[in-house]
C-alpha cells in the first residue's frame, strides 16, 4: 500500500513530499534514493546529481533496475554479498524485510535509519544514512543485532553496497609502500573482481587506500565529468570489492576486512560497521576532492577550522642524537626563520634502556636524563625563550622486547600462546594488545602523564611503526581470538576519544612509518598526518598529488628537508623543495645548522609568504591542473579561496631536457569576471617574470594561462636542472 512519507530533506528542515515507499536522502547537490516498502526487501534505486521533485516522483518509471540495497547471503547464493551470518541454530541464510524508516537530526546532519528484520529470525539490520548538507557527503553504515537464543556468527559484514552502471567507468585508487605512499592508479573497470584490501592491522594506508573514485563517463578528467567518490572511515583492516559480473552494473562493496575476523555477535549486542562516505560531483575528480576536503575541514578533521603552525621536526636533522643544547639550537633556528613550533622526534626517552636506536625502549616513556638533564621542563623553557611552541614524539601502542615495560608486562603484547613472537622494527618491536582495558589505560596514560606534567606541550606526533605480525590476544577468550583486529581498533578508538575529551586543544599528528594512517577513521582524533617518510620533493609531487584526491592540504604534513635527500639521495635545489612543501601544511625537517645564510634567508621569506597564503592553501578549494602521472614534463595545481578573490598556483617541472616542449597550463576555479594581479613567490630569478604585477581576467587565465619560462634566470653557477614557480593571485577591485 502506498502512503506519503515526509522526510527532513536537509538542514533547512524543509519537509519534502516523497513518492510513497521511496526514501530520498539528499544533500545540496546530490540525491540517493532507496525503496523502503514495509514487508519487502530494501532496494537501491538511485545515486547521483540531485533529483528534481518531478523526476523523483517518476523515478520508478525510468527503467532503472532495483537492486537489494544491502545484499545478504543465503537465497540466490551466487552473487557477492554485504552480509553473511551463521544463526544460533546453524542456518546460514538471511532474508531481510523493511520494518520501518526513521529520521533524526544529529548535530548538523540528518540521519535516516531503515530497520530491516529477517523474515523468520529475530535478526535485525539498520541501514543508516547521514547527510552533510554543506559538503555533499552521505555517510552510510549498518547496525547489526539479534535476539536469537545464542550468539550469531558474522562471517561477512560490509558497511555498504553501491551498484554503479556499467559504461565507460574508470576507477581511481591509491597504492604504494613505505616511502612511496599515495601513488595514483587509474584504470577502466573490466569484468571480474577488483579487490583493494589492507591486512596490516595497524597502518592501513601505506599500501592500498580505503578511498576510491569512479569516473562515470570515460577516462578520468580533473575538472569535468561525473564522478562518485567513496571513503571508508576505518582505522583497521578493510576490503573494497568491485565485482563486474554479468549484469549491467559494477557491484561495489566496502567494509572491514572480515578475513580471520569472524565476529561472534551476542544476543542484544549491536555491531556497528564503519561509515562509508559517498560523494558525487559533476566537476570531475577535483570536484569530488573539493567535497571530501570541505567535509574534512567542517566535520571530520580535528580542528579543521584552525590554521596550522609552521614547524621544525628534529628527525632528519639529528635522528636519535637528542640533547638539550641541540634542541635549543634548532628552536632558535626555526624561530629565526619565522617558524612557530618545534617538535622533538624519537630518541628522548628510556631509563634502564636508553633509546639510542630503534631496537629498544618503546614503552618506557620517561625522559633520558643523560641526554636531557633539564628534562622536558628545560626544553619547554627553551621553547618559551625562543618564542616557539613545543611538541614531542611518542609511539604509545608499541613496546620493544628490550624495555622495562615488556619485562613487567610480557602478557600485554599481541601474540599466540606457545609461539615466539615475530618481531618488527629494530628486531625487537612488538604491538600492545589494545583490546585489553589495562593496556588502554596505559596508552592513554602515556599522553595523560605527559600533558599533566607538561601542560605546555602543544603538539604530539603519534607514531606506529609496526603491523600486527602475530595473531593472538592474551586478553580475549579462546573463542574470541578472531575478534583481535576489531578489538584492537575499538580499543584505539576509546583511547583517542579519552584523549580528545581531556585535551581538546592539543594538536596531534598521525604518523605510521610515514603515511600509514591517512584515513578518515583516524582524522576525527588527529589534526594531520605525515604523508611519507620520503621527503624528496620530486617524489612528494606524485605522493601528494594522489593523497590530495581525498585529503585536504591542511592535513598533509609537508616538510622542507636536506639535499641530497635522505631517502632518494637526489639533490634538488632549495627553491624547488620549498615550492613543493608550500603546497601542503608547511614545515621543515632539516638541520638548520648546516644551512647557509642564503638558504636560511630563502626559507625565512618563504615562511613569511606562506603565512600570507596559508588560509588559501589550508582552507581553499583545490583544482588539479596537470597531473605528474600524465608525464607531460610538468605538474601543476592551484588553490582558490572560497570567495575566489585569492589563489595560489603551483608549477613544478618534473623533468628537464634541452628544447623540450611543455604544455601551457590553463588555470581553473577562478571567477571569469574578476581581474587578478599576479605576484611570484619564492623568486630566485635575477629579474621578475614578464607578468609580475600585471593583471589578467579570470577568463583569460582559465582559457589561456600564463607562459611560464622553463628555466630560471639565475647566475651561471646557480643553474641546475630543476624549475618551479609559485604564483599568488589576488583579485583587484
Ligand atoms: C618513523 C616516522 C619518522 C620518525 C621515526 C622515528 O619512521 O615515520 O618520521 O618519527 O619513526 O623513529
Amino acid at each position: 500500500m502506498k502512503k506519503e512519507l515526509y522526510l527532513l530533506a536537509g538542514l533547512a528542515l524543509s519537509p519534502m513530499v516523497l513518492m510513497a515507499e521511496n526514501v530520498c536522502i539528499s544533500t545540496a547537490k546530490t540525491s540517493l534514493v532507496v525503496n523502503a516498502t514495509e514487508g519487502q526487501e530494501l532496494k537501491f534505486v538511485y545515486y547521483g546529481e540531485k533529483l528534481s521533485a518531478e523526476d523523483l516522483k517518476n523515478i520508478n518509471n525510468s527503467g532503472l533496475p532495483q537492486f537489494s540495497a544491502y545484499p545478504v547471503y543465503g537465497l540466490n547464493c551466487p552473487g557477492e554479498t554485504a552480509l553473511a551470518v551463521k544463526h544460533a541454530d546453524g542456518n546460514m541464510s538471511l532474508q531481510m524485510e523493511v520494518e520501518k524508516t526513521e529520521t533524526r537530526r544529529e548535530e548538523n546532519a540528518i540521519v535516516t535509519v531503515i530497520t530491516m528484520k529477517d523474515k523468520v529470525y529475530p535478526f535485525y539490520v539498520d541501514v543508516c544514512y547521514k547527510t552533510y548538507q554543506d559538503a555533499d557527503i552521505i555517510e552510510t553504515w549498518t547496525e547489526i543485532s539479534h535476539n536469537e537464543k545464542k550468539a550469531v556468527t558474522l562471517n561477512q559484514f560490509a558497511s555498504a553496497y553501491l551498484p554503479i552502471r556499467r559504461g565507460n567507468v574508470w576507477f581511481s585508487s591509491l597504492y604504494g609502500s613505505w616511502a612511496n605512499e599515495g601513488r595514483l592508479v587509474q584504470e577502466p573497470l573490466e569484468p571480474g573482481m577488483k579487490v583493494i584490501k589492507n591486512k596490516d592491522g595497524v597502518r592501513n594506508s601505506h599500501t592500498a587506500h580505503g578511498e576510491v573514485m569512479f569516473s562515470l563517463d570515460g577516462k578520468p578528467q580533473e575538472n569535468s565529468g561525473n564522478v562518485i567518490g567513496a571513503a571508508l572511515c576505518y582505522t583497521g583492516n578493510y576490503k573494497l570489492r568491485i565485482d563486474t559480473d554479468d549484469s549491467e552494473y559494477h557491484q561495489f562493496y566496502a567494509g572491514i576486512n572480515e578475513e580471520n575476523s569472524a565476529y561472534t555477535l551476542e544476543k542484544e549486542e549491536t555491531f556497528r560497521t564503519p561509515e562509508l562516505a559517498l560523494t558525487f560531483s559533476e566537476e570531475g575528480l577535483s570536484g569530488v576532492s573539493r567535497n571530501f576536503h570541505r567535509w574534512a575541514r567542517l566535520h571530520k578533521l580535528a580542528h579543521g577550522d584552525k590554521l596550522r603552525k609552521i614547524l621544525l621536526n628534529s628527525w632528519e636533522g639529528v635522528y636519535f642524537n637528542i640533547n638539550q643544547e641541540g634542541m635549543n639550537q634548532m628552536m632558535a633556528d626555526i624561530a629565526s626563520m619565522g617558524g612557530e613550533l618545534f617538535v622533538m622526534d624519537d630518541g628522548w626517552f628510556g631509563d634502564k634502556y636508553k633509546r639510542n636506536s630503534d631496537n629498544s625502549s618503546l614503552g618506557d616513556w620517561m625522559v633520558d636524563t643523560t641526554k636531557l638533564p633539564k628534562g622536558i621542563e628545560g626544553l619547554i623553557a627553551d621553547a618559551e625563550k625562543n618564542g616557539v611552541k613545543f611538541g614531542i614524539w611518542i609511539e604509545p601502542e608499541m613496546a620493544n622486547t628490550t624495555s622495562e615495560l615488556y619485562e613487567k608486562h610480557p602478557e600485554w603484547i599481541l601474540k599466540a600462546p606457545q609461539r615466539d613472537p615475530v618481531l618488527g622494527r629494530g628486531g625487537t618491536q612488538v604491538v600492545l594488545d589494545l583490546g585489553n582495558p589495562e593496556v588502554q589505560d596505559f596508552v592513554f596514560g602515556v599522553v595523560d602523564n605527559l600533558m599533566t606534567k607538561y601542560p605546555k606541550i602543544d603538539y604530539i606526533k603519534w607514531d606506529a611503526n609496526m603491523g600486527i605480525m602475530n595473531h593472538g590476544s592474551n586478553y580475549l577468550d579462546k573463542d574470541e581470538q578472531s575478534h583481535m583486529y576489531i578489538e584492537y581498533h575499538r580499543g584505539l578508538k576509546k583511547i583517542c576519544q579519552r584523549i580528545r575529551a581531556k585535551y581538546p586543544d592539543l594538536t596531534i599528528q598521525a604518523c605510521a612509518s610515514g603515511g600509514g594512517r591517512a584515513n578518515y577513521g583516524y582524522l576525527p582524533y588527529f589534526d594531520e598526518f605525515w604523508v611519507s617518510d620520503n621527503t624528496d620533493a620530486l617524489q612528494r609531487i606524485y605522493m601528494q598529488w594522489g593523497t590530495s584526491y581525498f585529503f585536504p592540504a591542511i592535513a598533509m604534513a609537508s616538510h622542507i628537508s636536506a639535499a641530497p635527500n635522505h631517502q632518494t639521495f637526489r639533490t634538488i635545489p632549495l627553491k624547488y623543495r620549498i615550492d613543493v612543501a608550500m603546497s601542503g601544511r608547511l614545515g621543515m625537517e632539516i638541520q638548520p645548522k648546516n644551512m647557509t645564510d642564503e638558504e636560511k634567508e630563502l626559507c625565512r621569506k618563504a615562511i613569511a609568504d606562506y603565512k600570507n597564503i596559508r588560509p588559501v592553501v589550508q582552507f581553499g578549494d583545490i583544482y588539479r591542473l596537470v597531473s605528474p602521472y600524465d608525464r607531460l614534463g610538468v605538474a601543476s595545481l592551484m588553490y582558490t579561496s572560497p570567495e575566489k578573490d585569492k589563489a595560489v598556483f603551483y608549477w613544478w617541472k618534473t623533468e628537464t631536457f634541452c628544447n623540450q616542449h611543455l604544455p601551457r597550463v590553463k588555470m581553473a576555479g577562478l571567477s571569469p569576471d574578476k581581474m587578478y594581479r599576479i605576484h611570484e613567490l619564492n623568486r630566485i630569478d635575477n629579474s621578475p617574470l614578464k607578468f609580475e604585477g600585471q593583471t589578467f581576467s579570470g577568463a583569460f587565465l582559465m582559457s589561456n594561462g600564463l607562459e611560464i619560462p622553463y628555466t630560471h634566470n639565475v647566475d651561471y653557477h646557480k643553474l641546475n636542472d630543476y624549475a618551479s614557480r609559485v604564483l599568488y593571485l589576488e583579485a583587484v577591485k
Side-chain angles (χ1 to χ4, degrees):
M1 206 181 73
K2 291 196 171 178
K3 65 178 185 227
E4 287 207 320
L5 187 64
Y6 287 80
L7 284 182
L8 302 178
L11 282 181
L13 290 181
S14 54
M16 192 162 150
V17 185
L18 297 180
M19 269 294 293
E21 56 283 298
N22 274 354
V23 176
C24 181
I25 292 135
S26 303
T27 65
K29 290 192 188 150
T30 71
S31 295
L32 188 150
V33 182
V34 288
N35 187 296
T37 308
E38 279 171 30
Q40 291 190 22
E41 190 179 28
L42 178 67
K43 298 277 192 176
F44 172 89
V45 180
Y46 173 86
Y47 180 54
E49 68 180 299
K50 185 150 187 165
L51 292 176
S52 66
E54 280 306 303
D55 284 333
L56 179 59
K57 235 190 243 168
N58 216 9
I59 190 93
N60 291 354
N61 300 325
S62 68
L64 290 180
Q66 299 196 354
F67 292 89
S68 168
Y70 192 67
V72 295
Y73 180 77
L75 304 177
N76 298 315
C77 298
E80 285 291 310
T81 49
L83 182 67
V85 310
K86 185 163 144 194
H87 292 283
D89 66 1
N91 186 330
M92 290 190 62
S93 69
L94 283 168
Q95 187 176 15
M96 306 304 295
E97 295 176 344
V98 174
E99 259 199 358
K100 59 176 192 243
T101 301
E102 282 172 350
T103 301
R104 64 172 192 266
R105 179 198 267 274
E106 233 176 53
E107 289 164 9
N108 39 23
I110 305 288
V111 180
T112 304
V113 179
I114 299 162
T115 301
M116 308 190 295
K117 183 192 165 297
D118 187 90
K119 201 168 176 176
V120 178
Y121 289 82
F123 183 92
Y124 303 89
V125 177
D126 284 357
V127 176
C128 309
Y129 300 95
K130 183 170 181 178
T131 57
Y132 295 87
Q133 299 300 312
D134 45 10
D136 281 316
I137 296 273
I138 300 176
E139 281 177 6
T140 174
W141 72 95
T142 53
E143 293 177 13
I144 304 164
S145 61
H146 71 89
N147 206 2
E148 298 187 19
K149 290 210 173 62
K150 283 201 216 129
V152 172
T153 309
L154 309 183
N155 289 319
Q156 196 168 43
F157 34 88
S159 296
Y161 158 74
L162 184 73
I164 295 169
R165 182 67 165 86
R166 282 171 75 161
N168 193 5
V169 177
W170 282 61
F171 181 62
S172 300
S173 64
L174 306 180
Y175 72 100
S177 24
W178 175 80
N180 192 22
E181 295 91 335
R183 300 293 299 203
L184 176 67
V185 59
Q186 301 182 309
E187 60 202 304
L189 279 178
E190 302 286 0
M193 251 321 229
K194 172 92 194 166
V195 176
I196 299 217
K197 50 114 177 101
N198 173 269
K199 300 209 256 182
D200 182 273
V202 172
R203 303 160 297 187
N204 71 4
S205 57
H206 262 311
T207 49
H209 261 250
E211 307 87 32
V212 294
M213 288 195 201
F214 299 92
S215 293
L216 304 184
D217 23 45
K219 219 166 173 230
Q221 303 292 329
E222 281 296 347
N223 293 304
S224 63
N226 291 341
V227 181
I228 290 174
L232 185 73
C233 311
Y234 188 54
T235 54
N237 294 349
Y238 56 77
K239 192 185 265 182
L240 313 185
R241 287 172 280 159
I242 301 139
D243 184 20
T244 302
D245 58 14
D246 58 342
S247 77
E248 296 299 335
Y249 282 74
H250 304 286
Q251 323 277 353
F252 173 51
Y253 296 84
I256 292 178
N257 192 333
E258 71 286 349
E259 280 176 46
N260 301 306
S261 289
Y263 192 86
T264 313
L265 187 67
E266 297 298 337
K267 190 173 169 152
E268 285 166 6
E269 181 189 350
T270 299
F271 186 91
R272 192 186 199 277
T273 60
E275 303 84 27
L276 178 74
L278 293 170
T279 191
F280 170 85
S281 172
E282 296 172 286
E283 294 174 25
L285 302 160
S286 284
V288 160
S289 299
R290 289 192 290 278
N291 290 353
F292 277 126
H293 295 182
R294 200 172 323 120
W295 174 68
R297 284 190 300 260
L298 294 174
H299 305 285
K300 278 283 142 168
L301 179 63
H303 311 122
D305 58 348
K306 294 211 170 55
L307 293 173
R308 304 311 197 228
K309 297 189 184 80
I310 298 160
L311 62 83
L312 170 66
N313 176 296
S314 67
W315 180 242
E316 287 194 21
V318 299
Y319 293 102
F320 293 101
N321 301 322
I322 300 276
N323 61 62
Q324 185 85 35
E325 220 175 281
M327 298 297 98
N328 181 33
Q329 163 251 311
M330 289 182 112
M331 291 185 215
D333 280 327
I334 187 62
S336 76
M337 287 185 271
E340 300 152 326
L341 166 71
F342 172 74
V343 180
M344 176 174 67
D345 210 280
D346 199 352
W348 60 269
F349 53 95
D351 183 18
K352 180 173 168 190
Y353 305 104
K354 316 256 182 242
R355 179 78 168 173
N356 291 322
S357 81
D358 61 5
N359 63 8
S360 76
S361 321
L362 293 176
D364 301 349
W365 300 106
M366 55 287 251
V367 180
D368 177 349
T369 47
T370 54
K371 290 179 181 173
L372 299 168
K374 292 197 227 147
I376 307 284
E377 298 90 327
L379 295 169
I380 290 175
D382 280 349
E384 287 190 326
K385 182 187 72 194
N386 287 302
V388 290
K389 299 278 185 196
F390 178 75
I392 194 164
W393 179 96
I394 51 173
E395 194 180 351
E397 296 156 75
M398 307 284 163
N400 292 105
T401 48
T402 312
S403 71
E404 292 181 65
L405 179 72
Y406 181 73
E407 287 171 353
K408 203 166 152 205
H409 285 296
E411 79 286 5
W412 277 7
I413 70 161
L414 285 176
K415 94 172 182 65
Q418 303 176 53
R419 304 268 178 222
D420 291 336
V422 176
L423 300 166
R425 189 180 183 203
T428 57
Q429 190 158 336
V430 285
V431 181
L432 297 178
D433 184 358
L434 263 52
N436 181 343
E438 272 182 49
V439 178
Q440 291 167 21
D441 287 345
F442 169 80
V443 176
F444 169 73
V446 176
V447 173
D448 195 34
N449 292 339
L450 280 173
M451 293 308 295
T452 309
K453 273 203 208 146
Y454 320 110
K456 289 195 173 147
I457 290 179
D458 185 69
Y459 177 108
I460 282 182
K461 173 171 171 180
W462 178 303
D463 215 333
N465 289 313
M466 182 182 171
I468 294 179
M469 320 263 274
N470 303 280
H471 196 133
S473 161
N474 200 42
Y475 173 75
L476 294 173
D477 286 346
K478 270 208 300 280
D479 52 5
E480 283 181 332
Q481 290 297 312
S482 62
H483 294 194
M484 180 197 66
Y485 291 109
I486 289 170
E487 290 301 340
Y488 185 92
H489 288 278
R490 285 179 175 169
L492 181 59
K493 192 169 174 179
K494 279 188 200 149
I495 297 162
C496 290
Q497 285 171 338
R498 279 169 80 182
I499 292 170
R500 278 306 178 197
K502 191 155 177 196
Y503 303 104
D505 298 330
L506 183 63
T507 304
I508 314 181
Q509 179 186 77
C511 176
S513 319
R517 281 186 163 175
N519 183 292
Y520 280 107
Y522 288 102
L523 291 186
Y525 314 107
F526 293 86
D527 297 69
E528 60 178 31
F529 54 84
W530 185 218
V531 175
S532 176
D533 274 354
N534 185 343
T535 55
D536 175 89
L538 182 62
Q539 198 166 344
R540 274 283 181 134
I541 290 175
Y542 292 81
M543 295 190 278
Q544 294 181 182
W545 186 273
T547 308
S548 82
Y549 266 49
F550 305 99
F551 301 101
I554 190 172
M556 289 165 50
S558 179
H559 296 176
I560 301 165
S561 64
N565 179 266
H566 292 192
Q567 294 78 36
T568 60
F569 308 99
R570 204 188 330 257
T571 299
I572 295 184
L574 182 60
K575 148 86 177 152
Y576 193 96
R577 284 179 270 146
I578 293 175
D579 283 0
V580 173
M582 262 173 106
S583 67
R585 193 284 278 136
L586 175 67
M588 300 187 76
E589 180 133 353
I590 193 165
Q591 173 53 281
K593 206 163 70 175
N594 301 337
M595 293 167 72
T596 64
D597 288 345
E598 194 184 350
E599 286 175 330
K600 281 188 183 154
E601 181 56 18
L602 200 56
C603 288
R604 199 189 55 71
K605 277 201 191 121
I607 287 174
D609 280 338
Y610 185 79
K611 286 178 184 166
N612 189 29
I613 63 168
R614 178 160 50 182
V616 184
V617 177
Q618 298 190 359
F619 297 151
D621 288 321
I622 193 168
Y623 289 83
R624 285 179 300 264
L625 305 170
V626 178
S627 170
Y629 294 90
D630 286 345
R631 299 180 172 278
L632 296 170
V634 66
S636 179
L637 59 78
M638 64 194 289
Y639 301 106
T640 60
S641 65
E643 301 76 26
K644 297 188 183 293
D645 58 346
K646 292 179 178 133
V648 188
F649 169 87
Y650 298 84
W651 181 97
W652 307 286
K653 233 165 76 170
T654 50
E655 58 187 25
T656 290
F657 296 98
C658 285
N659 294 324
Q660 72 185 127
H661 301 286
L662 301 178
R664 183 167 55 200
V665 181
K666 293 176 186 170
M667 297 190 187
L670 300 170
S671 166
D673 304 331
K674 285 197 165 91
M675 296 298 294
Y676 295 90
R677 174 164 294 125
I678 314 290
H679 169 53
E680 187 189 5
L681 305 181
N682 307 333
R683 170 155 84 85
I684 54 162
D685 293 37
N686 291 335
S687 51
L689 291 167
K690 268 220 166 86
F691 40 77
E692 173 68 36
Q694 305 297 314
T695 54
F696 301 90
S697 70
F700 176 84
L701 294 169
M702 292 194 288
S703 57
N704 293 281
L706 296 167
E707 200 62 72
I708 312 233
Y710 294 1
T711 53
H712 288 288
N713 170 14
V714 291
D715 295 347
Y716 185 78
H717 70 281
K718 289 189 176 163
L719 287 171
N720 61 68
D721 55 346
Y722 284 86
S724 59
R725 306 278 172 179
V726 182
L727 305 179
Y728 179 51
L729 284 69
E730 209 172 2
V732 292
K733 295 267 149 42

